[in-house]
């Protein structure tokens, strides 16, 4: 930012942004971030964000990027340090980004103009992402591997990619570092399931830093909300749910705050998440003793509370689950993708599996993804719910196949004759 001198009549009226810190103690790098409230109403009755467009979505979604990384033997992850802060806003537009600031409590606040893309403004994510993609297009000839990765395998400031062999992984790391540094971007929190691609990188730029004392034999790297253990090349499920005291009565607010922490983007434990969704649905049907729906802070019935505590007590067991990150086999001669769906009166869902067979006849099957939905509270026929399950199975399968770029035999499984015998109903449901 730069200090603004005295305003003149020829200058436009400046827009001031309220700002506040957001502290994240679990972060290994930046504990506090400044967020600017561009949605705050101004004297005109509208906010700065009201007059700005968000920009189109130009990146793959989170799940597609993770799907793709599971097909590569060597996985490489990194983080773009302070990505927004590395992109300048055009000089003629900076008058809309102003704050009042003082470096000492004894001073009077002074107007400062923000020079770079700012947290809290609607188009900021698009502008930063578009800048990275322009860099990739401009440097395509010089850094072909890095250019492709930046255009396909970055979600916001998180890079998740990989390579089919060790030589390519080393070259990819080198190209990414060189290309990003050429535009002022710095990559940090590097991690790989093999040490060779990380050779030559400063220790402070590694997600798992070398030190004299190693308390954790298999340290974890968290990227895109997923815990990855590079040493064993496995995913780890870890739900940091708030502690619920045994002596404390539970409320709807308490339960929803816990359920909101259950983040499973790939659906690797979809059955458990579905149980939590059913709890959430049931909460909205509870009645208050005073009449009407139960309030946010009213105590839950003892039967509901007991059932929830039994479920909540099992959540820490997920910490012991390890799921292989790499879903292929060396010398694979046969690939099959299987999608299955099922439904009940409470919920319906779908799973996608990959079946690999190598030259020796050894077969391995991996769960790629699952998706579930809670059945509506109003009465729905089971055949219709079976059709809903088949629909999300087809949609989930298409997303997985498109993201992973796999070719092989395709199988759809369902035990409902409504689905297998009346395909025309699927077209009606989709419509």
């Amino acid at each position: 930012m730069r200090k603004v001198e005295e305003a003149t009549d020829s200058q436009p009226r400046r827009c001031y942004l309220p700002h506040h810190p957001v502290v994240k103690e679990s972060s290994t790098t930046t504990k506090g971030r400044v967020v600017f409230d561009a949605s705050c109403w101004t004297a005109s009755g509208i906010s700065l964000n009201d007059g700005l467009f968000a920009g189109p979505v130009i990146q793959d979604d989170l799940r597609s990027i993770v799907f793709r990384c599971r097909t590569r033997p060597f996985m490489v992850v990194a983080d773009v340090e302070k990505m927004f802060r590395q992109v300048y806003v055009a000089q003629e537009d900076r008058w809309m980004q102003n704050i009042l600031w003082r470096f000492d409590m004894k001073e009077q606040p002074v107007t400062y103009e923000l020079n770079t893309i700012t947290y809290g403004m609607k188009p900021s994510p698009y502008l930063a992402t578009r800048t990275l993609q322009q860099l990739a297009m401009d440097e395509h000839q010089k850094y072909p591997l890095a250019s492709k990765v930046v255009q396909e395998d970055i979600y916001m400031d998180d890079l998740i990619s990989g390579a089919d062999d060790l030589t390519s992984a080393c070259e990819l790391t080198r190209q990414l570092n060189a290309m990003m540094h050429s535009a002022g971007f710095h990559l940090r929190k590097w991690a790989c399931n093999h040490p060779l691609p990380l050779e030559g990188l400063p220790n402070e730029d590694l997600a798992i830093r070398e030190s004299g004392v190693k308390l954790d034999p298999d340290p974890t790297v968290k990227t895109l909300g997923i815990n990855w253990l590079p040493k064993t090349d496995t995913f780890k499920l870890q739900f940091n749910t708030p502690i619920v005291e045994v002596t404390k009565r539970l409320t709807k607010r308490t339960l929803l705050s816990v359920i909101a922490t259950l983040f499973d983007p790939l659906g690797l434990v979809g059955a458990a998440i579905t149980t939590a969704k059913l709890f959430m649905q049931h909460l909205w049907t509870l009645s208050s003793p005073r009449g009407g729906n139960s309030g946010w802070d009213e105590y839950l019935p003892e039967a509901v509370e007991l059932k929830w505590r039994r479920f909540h007590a099992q959540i820490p067991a997920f910490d012991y689950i390890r799921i292989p990150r790499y879903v292929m086999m060396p010398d694979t001669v046969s690939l099959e993708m299987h999608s299955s769906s099922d439904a009940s009166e409470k919920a319906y869902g779908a799973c996608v599996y990959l079946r690999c067979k190598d030259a020796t006849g050894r077969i391995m099957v991996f769960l790629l993804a699952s998706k579930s939905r809670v059945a509506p509270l109003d009465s729905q026929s089971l055949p219709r719910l079976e059709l809903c399950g088949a629909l999300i199975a087809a949609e989930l399968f298409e997303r997985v196949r498109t993201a992973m770029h796999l070719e092989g035999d395709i199988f759809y499984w369902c035990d409902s004759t409504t689905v297998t015998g009346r395909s025309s109903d699927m077209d009606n449901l989709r419509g």
Side-chain angles (χ1 to χ4, degrees):
M1 64 185 185
R2 73 171 186 88
K3 185 176 179 181
V4 176
E5 305 301 332
E6 292 294 329
T8 63
D9 294 337
S10 61
Q11 292 178 337
R13 188 174 183 181
R14 293 184 174 273
C15 178
Y16 287 83
L17 305 176
H19 52 92
H20 62 275
V22 174
V23 179
K24 185 179 180 182
E25 292 293 346
S26 61
S27 176
T28 58
T29 50
T30 308
K31 300 288 185 183
R33 296 180 184 273
V34 181
V35 176
F36 301 87
D37 188 5
S39 295
C40 181
W41 289 345
T42 64
S44 64
I46 62 172
S47 69
L48 177 58
N49 275 343
D50 289 336
L52 297 173
F53 290 110
V57 177
I58 56 175
Q59 286 180 315
D60 273 351
D61 63 285
L62 180 153
R63 289 198 301 174
S64 296
I65 294 175
V66 179
F67 289 150
R68 199 153 44 239
C69 82
R70 299 190 72 187
T71 64
R72 295 157 177 164
F74 299 95
M75 179 170 165
V76 177
V77 303
D79 175 86
V80 185
E81 182 180 16
K82 298 182 178 66
M83 183 171 72
F84 282 16
R85 293 285 180 257
Q86 314 311 316
V87 183
Y88 277 121
V89 172
Q91 179 71 47
E92 60 269 23
D93 293 328
R94 295 178 190 173
W95 62 271
M96 293 187 292
Q97 300 186 161
N98 297 270
I99 65 169
L100 292 174
W101 185 258
R102 58 185 175 187
F103 291 93
D104 191 293
M105 291 292 290
K106 299 177 182 179
E107 299 176 355
Q108 289 296 317
V110 178
T111 297
Y112 284 87
E113 190 177 74
L114 303 176
N115 298 328
T116 59
I117 290 176
T118 304
Y119 292 102
M121 291 184 64
K122 191 187 295 185
S124 293
Y126 165 77
L127 294 174
T129 302
R130 182 65 181 84
T131 302
L132 281 183
Q133 294 206 350
Q134 186 62 48
L135 169 65
M137 290 186 281
D138 292 345
E139 301 292 341
H140 172 71
Q141 297 295 329
K142 190 174 182 181
Y143 305 107
L145 292 179
S147 174
K148 181 178 175 62
V149 165
V150 169
Q151 292 186 70
E152 296 182 356
D153 295 339
I154 285 188
Y155 185 81
M156 287 306 299
D157 59 351
D158 287 307
L159 184 149
I160 300 183
S161 189
D164 294 329
D165 56 77
L166 196 55
T167 302
S168 299
C170 295
E171 178 62 15
L172 175 61
T173 304
R174 186 196 69 79
Q175 287 192 20
L176 282 169
N177 244 336
M179 187 181 79
M180 299 296 273
H181 274 289
S182 70
F185 293 104
H186 177 65
L187 291 175
R188 59 177 180 175
K189 294 198 280 189
W190 283 95
C192 182
N193 56 322
H194 194 283
L196 193 58
L198 304 181
E199 284 189 357
L201 295 175
N203 190 48
E204 60 269 18
D205 287 345
L206 301 180
I208 302 173
R209 300 176 183 178
E210 295 294 332
S211 62
V213 180
K214 296 185 181 296
L215 300 178
D216 189 349
D218 196 3
T220 302
V221 174
K222 189 170 184 179
T223 180
L224 293 182
I226 298 174
N227 292 283
W228 175 49
L229 288 72
K231 187 175 181 180
T232 55
D233 200 15
T234 55
F235 288 141
K236 174 184 177 182
L237 296 166
Q238 185 174 9
F239 300 134
N240 298 316
T241 56
I243 297 175
V244 179
E245 298 178 11
V246 178
T247 58
K248 184 178 180 181
R249 292 294 305 275
L250 301 180
T251 64
K252 182 190 295 186
R253 189 186 303 275
T254 305
L255 262 64
L256 291 178
S257 67
V258 174
I259 294 173
T261 64
L262 303 179
F263 181 66
D264 179 28
L266 301 184
L268 298 176
V269 289
I273 302 299
T274 301
T275 303
K277 290 179 182 178
L278 290 170
F279 266 110
M280 183 184 297
Q281 185 187 56
H282 183 59
L283 291 179
W284 300 111
T285 66
L286 298 177
S287 300
S288 172
R290 299 189 300 270
N293 293 331
S294 175
W296 282 94
D297 297 308
E298 290 186 28
Y299 293 143
L300 300 177
E302 291 186 4
V304 175
E305 183 173 326
L306 179 60
K307 190 175 181 180
W308 168 258
R309 288 190 183 278
R310 288 174 179 169
F311 173 76
H312 185 264
Q314 299 177 61
I315 293 179
F318 289 119
D319 291 354
Y320 300 98
I321 296 177
R322 300 292 183 272
I323 298 163
R325 192 272 311 173
Y326 184 51
V327 295
M328 305 289 284
M329 294 175 63
D331 303 321
T332 297
V333 297
S334 174
L335 275 179
E336 295 177 1
M337 295 186 72
H338 295 255
S339 177
S340 62
S341 67
D342 204 355
S344 72
E345 294 179 349
K346 293 183 178 180
Y348 56 92
C351 298
V352 177
Y353 296 89
L354 181 68
R355 181 182 185 271
C356 303
K357 182 178 180 181
D358 66 8
T360 65
R362 190 166 63 105
I363 295 174
M364 296 188 71
V365 180
F366 301 92
L367 172 66
L368 298 180
S370 75
K371 186 175 182 180
S372 65
R373 287 179 182 163
V374 176
L377 289 173
D378 57 323
S379 179
Q380 295 282 339
S381 67
L382 194 56
R384 180 174 179 83
L385 293 175
E386 292 279 10
L387 287 168
C388 290
L391 177 60
I392 66 170
E395 292 174 342
L396 179 63
F397 177 84
E398 186 60 27
R399 171 169 288 187
V400 172
R401 188 174 66 88
T402 302
M404 300 182 76
H405 308 303
L406 295 178
E407 296 294 335
D409 294 330
I410 298 172
F411 298 87
Y412 290 90
W413 300 92
C414 186
D415 61 0
S416 169
T417 55
T418 303
V419 174
T420 58
R422 297 174 60 188
S423 59
S424 60
D425 286 354
M426 288 295 289
D427 295 329
N428 295 333
L429 185 62
R430 188 184 296 274

